Amino acid sequence: QVQLVESGGGLVQPGGSLRLSCAASGSIFSINVMAWYRQGPGKQRELVATITGGGGPNYVGSVKGRFTISRDDAKNTVYLQMNNLEPEDTGVYYCNAVIRSLGGWRDYWGQGTQVTVSS
């Protein structure tokens, strides 16, 4: 079976930076799109950024210019570098990936990592 495990969350002051990582493990044949989502307090889960295997990154809303998504296909890992963090960035960040394994193509989610931006 395939698992996604996030790391790198924590407490940071406004204007600070964090780097999230998400490693996929298991019987992986291929990974298509990898993405980061987040869910703020009392809010619905929302897309933050995506990156495909051969294409460029895409960002949504207020994170443009502050966040950078990247991937290392040799390590089956996706990263999210978050700079100039704002209190509105607080939430649980989830990794998502479309992965081909023994059972074919499927959508997988990580367990989430908490990011808190506060002074």
Side-chain angles (χ1 to χ4, degrees), residues 95-109:
C95 171
N96 170 262
V98 179
I99 296 174
R100 179 171 170 254
S101 64
L102 291 171
W105 288 101
R106 256 197 62 189
D107 200 31
Y108 291 89
W109 291 88

Side-chain angles (χ1 to χ4, degrees), residues 28-87:
I28 296 171
F29 296 159
S30 182
I31 302 179
N32 192 350
V33 177
M34 303 187 84
W36 288 95
Y37 287 73
R38 68 184 179 188
Q39 187 166 13
K43 297 180 181 179
Q44 291 190 338
R45 191 175 299 190
E46 63 177 359
L47 177 65
V48 174
T50 64
I51 187 167
T52 60
N58 287 285
Y59 303 94
V60 179
S62 64
V63 309
K64 292 179 182 179
R66 300 188 298 121
F67 291 9
T68 302
I69 188 171
S70 61
R71 60 191 282 171
D72 184 338
D73 289 335
K75 297 181 179 180
N76 291 332
T77 299
V78 63
Y79 305 96
L80 187 68
Q81 177 67 43
M82 304 185 293
N83 298 328
N84 195 19
L85 283 160
E86 303 169 353

